[in-house]
């Protein structure tokens, strides 16, 4: 029996199992025909359909061996068909089937990815001429054929080259990159390389200058190019195309031409090295491991961007803000997200963060949106940073290095301090109470500007910066849809709660009171009551207690009057108070009010009291009066001096405390 080696055929004689992933067909002139395949491609169905002449409804794991009589075949030759089994228990039978085979059918599913082929001409030592002239037209006709090679096992001709090409066909296949018929790169490859070009174009001028080319070379190949090598590369492009080099830098067309040249000259590994460094798999899709690196987030912890991430995002903003107006126009936003497979921001983003008078997202709004995404959906943030090439540009292992996972809130409460920068405030209230207006006012929009917002462009979130004791913090507002019968864990999970009622609607406060009593009365989450639309007539609320009495009874701050029906931008003091309450939920000093009940008001009253004023005046007169008689001092008793000393220390203590409060 003669077994002729065809396309990519091999049998593992030690194990007795054919390596079906790297096997094609074994051909000879006899009558035994084993069918070989990987699992679930349909080889057993082929045998069953041959026998019964219909597609089987129930397919067994393995078909019984059958023999086709000679009288039913055109060539009058009996055919013995064996269904190959991959089970270890059939190990011996499989070996016998292959040793007795005259032809082996390798079955594959045509909807699976094509396997690259290599044509191998063996026993070249027996002939004096080469068969390559006959083989090359076949290779050019079929794009699945990677290469052709003639070898000889007897004189070891091209043996190592054969397996090098085989390995190269698997690791650096031509199929996903290049179309031989059209002699150009495939669209998916062009799309991937275009993204790589835009990520590497650090100043977004459409040209890779020498600095950017060297950064690209060092990133992909761990070594920079010498100045002469850079010039040689650009000279090759200049000789072949007119617009490949501009301002002594490589354009996108020149960049794509170079990779086309690499592929045509058989240097696929160069292009594949670049693609894989930027996160692409064999199908030219970004790896899931690249887009979503592992990031562990313990319970009751939040996610924020760290300093390096903000610096990276700032550089991305700067390179796309071409008119330097500190805002991104719609065209600039579109250009920024060209490296994404889809547009990640919808029109609601413009009503979630700050915009300029033209409705364009400002620099502060841009950073705020990234902060919001990181807080609410950190996996999506990791994906976005992956598209922008954060790990490559910042030379980090993955974009997980851009994320800070805050410590448990319980620890913050125990230590009475926090390092967090983002705080969440959930807004609750009855329909029409002014929740949406409260969110939009945080972005500096009065009632007149809010009326211009389309209904389908509204957002349930808004985020902006506030300053608490000189520190910049982000306050995230979330409007919770009114449903008193059911509030989810997400509706309750926040750092501070804002209960909004309409002073002009007599039934508006009742909702806030019931929500507070059911969900927040025994909670450690601080709450603030907002009396919205305070520019309108205050109606008597249909509730057993007035809003002020309700707040006093439950030890809440008095209802805070608020309105956005103003000529200028609405006042933002309330948002600063909410952020302060979120930062210091453990402290009794929660407000800047005149309720005469909180710690702040009590201390202010003491500092302004007449008694303390008289003591301070007496102290100043004693210390500053240089005409004081020596005899008067000598006649002072010990207890008088002790009283004065105690007063001095008390006054100094209150003075320092007042200075701190005034500074805050």
């Amino acid at each position: 029996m003669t077994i002729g080696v065809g396309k990519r055929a091999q049998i593992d004689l030690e194990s007795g199992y054919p390596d079906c992933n790297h096997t094609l067909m074994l051909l000879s002139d006899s009558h035994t025909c084993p069918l070989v395949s990987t699992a679930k491609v349909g080889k057993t169905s082929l045998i069953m359909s041959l026998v019964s002449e219909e597609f089987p409804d129930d397919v067994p794991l393995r078909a019984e061996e059958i023999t086709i009589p000679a009288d039913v075949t055109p060539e009058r030759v009996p055919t013995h068909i064996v269904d190959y089994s991959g089970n270890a228990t059939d190990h011996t039978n499989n070996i016998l089937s292959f040793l007795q085979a005259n032809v082996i059918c390798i079955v594959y599913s045509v909807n699976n990815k094509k396997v690259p082929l290599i044509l191998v001409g063996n026993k070249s030592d027996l002939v004096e001429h080469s068969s390559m002239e006959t083989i090359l037209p076949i290779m050019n006709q079929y794009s699945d054929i990677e290469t052709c090679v003639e070898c000889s096992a007897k004189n070891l001709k091209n043996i190592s080259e054969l397996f090098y090409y085989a390995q190269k066909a698997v690791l650096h296949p031509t199929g996903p990159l290049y179309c031989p018929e059209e002699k150009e790169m495939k669209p998916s490859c062009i799309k991937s390389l275009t993204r790589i070009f835009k990520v590497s174009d650090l100043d977004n001028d459409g040209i890779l200058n020498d600095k950017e080319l060297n950064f690209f070379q060092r990133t992909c190949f761990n070594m920079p190019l010498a100045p002469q090598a850079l010039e040689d590369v650009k000279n090759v492009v200049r000789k072949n195309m007119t617009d490949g080099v501009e301002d002594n830098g490589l354009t996108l067309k020149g960049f794509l031409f170079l990779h086309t040249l690499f592929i045509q000259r058989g240097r696929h590994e160069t292009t594949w090295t670049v693609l894989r460094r930027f996160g692409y798999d064999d199908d030219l899709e970004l790896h899931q491991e690249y887009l979503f690196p592992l990031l562990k987030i313990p319970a009751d912890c939040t996610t924020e961007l760290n300093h390096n991430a903000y610096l990276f995002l700032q550089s991305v903003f700067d390179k796309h803000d071409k008119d330097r107006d500190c805002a991104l126009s719609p065209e600039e936003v579109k250009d920024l997200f060209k490296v994404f497979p889809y547009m990640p921001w919808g029109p609601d983003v413009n009503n979630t963060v700050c915009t300029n008078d033209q409705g364009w997202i400002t620099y502060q709004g841009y950073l705020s949106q990234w902060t919001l995404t990181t807080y609410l959906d950190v996996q999506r943030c990791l994906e976005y940073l992956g598209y922008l090439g954060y790990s490559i540009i910042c030379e980090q292992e993955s974009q997980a290095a851009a994320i800070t996972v805050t410590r448990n809130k319980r620890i913050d409460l125990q230590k009475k301090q926090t390092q967090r920068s983002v705080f969440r405030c959930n807004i609750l209230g009855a329909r029409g109470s002014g929740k949406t207006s409260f969110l939009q006012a945080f972005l500096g929009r009065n009632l007149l500007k809010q009326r211009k917002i389309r209904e389908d462009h509204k957002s349930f979130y808004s985020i902006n910066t506030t300053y608490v004791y000189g520190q910049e913090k982000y306050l995230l507002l979330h409007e919770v849809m009114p449903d008193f019968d059911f509030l989810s864990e997400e509706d309750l999970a926040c750092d501070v709660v804002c209960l909004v009622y309409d002073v002009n609607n007599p039934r508006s406060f009742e909702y806030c009171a019931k929500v507070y009593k059911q969900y927040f009365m025994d909670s450690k989450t601080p709450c603030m009551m907002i009396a919205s639309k305070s520019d309108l007539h205050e109606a008597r609320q249909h509730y057993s207690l007035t809003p002020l009495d309700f707040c006093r009874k439950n030890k809440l701050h008095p209802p805070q009057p608020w309105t956005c029906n103003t000529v200028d931008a609405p006042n933002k003091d309330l948002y600063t108070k909410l952020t302060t309450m979120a930062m210091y939920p453990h402290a009794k000093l929660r407000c800047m009010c005149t309720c005469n009940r909180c710690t702040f008001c009590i201390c202010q009253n003491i500092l302004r009291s007449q008694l303390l004023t008289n003591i301070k005046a007496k102290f100043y007169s004693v210390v500053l009066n240089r005409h004081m008689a020596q005899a008067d001092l000598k006649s002072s008793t010990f207890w008088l001096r002790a009283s004065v000393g105690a007063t001095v220390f008390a006054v100094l203590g209150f003075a320092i405390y007042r200075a701190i409060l005034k500074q805050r």
Side-chain angles (χ1 to χ4, degrees), residues 420-464:
R420 294 166 56 204
S421 299
V422 186
F423 300 91
R424 177 168 178 165
C425 173
N426 283 357
I427 314 297
L428 294 97
R431 297 186 185 277
S433 58
K435 300 188 298 298
T436 303
S437 296
F438 190 75
L439 263 67
Q440 292 300 312
F442 188 32
L443 306 178
R445 298 166 185 167
N446 57 22
L447 188 60
L448 183 62
K449 291 183 178 180
Q450 293 180 26
R451 288 172 177 169
K452 298 178 182 179
I453 301 175
R454 289 175 48 177
E455 189 67 28
D456 56 338
H457 289 178
K458 289 184 178 180
S459 172
F460 293 109
Y461 293 93
S462 70
I463 184 171
N464 202 355

Side-chain angles (χ1 to χ4, degrees), residues 453-506:
I453 301 175
R454 289 175 48 177
E455 189 67 28
D456 56 338
H457 289 178
K458 289 184 178 180
S459 172
F460 293 109
Y461 293 93
S462 70
I463 184 171
N464 202 355
T465 55
T466 60
Y467 286 87
V468 178
Y469 303 146
Q471 302 178 32
E472 184 183 57
K473 303 294 180 181
Y474 282 95
L475 180 63
L476 166 60
L477 302 181
H478 174 217
E479 178 185 349
V480 178
M481 297 303 294
D483 187 356
F484 177 70
D485 296 330
F486 175 76
L487 289 179
S488 65
E489 292 185 3
E490 183 182 2
D491 299 332
L492 303 175
C494 58
D495 301 300
V496 62
V497 174
C498 189
L499 300 168
V500 181
Y501 72 95
D502 181 0
V503 299
N504 191 243
N505 184 352

Side-chain angles (χ1 to χ4, degrees), residues 11 36 38 53 67 71 86 133 146 165 228 260 302 305 316 321 348 357 396 399 475 499 508 538 573 615 621 635:
I11 293 182
V36 182
T38 55
E53 297 186 350
T67 299
D71 56 355
E133 293 182 0
E146 287 283 331
Y165 288 126
Q228 186 57 47
T260 303
T302 59
L305 293 168
V316 173
D321 182 21
D348 60 317
D357 294 336
Q396 299 288 341
Q399 51 267 30
L475 180 63
L499 300 168
S508 183
E538 184 173 358
D573 289 345
I615 293 176
S621 65
S635 63

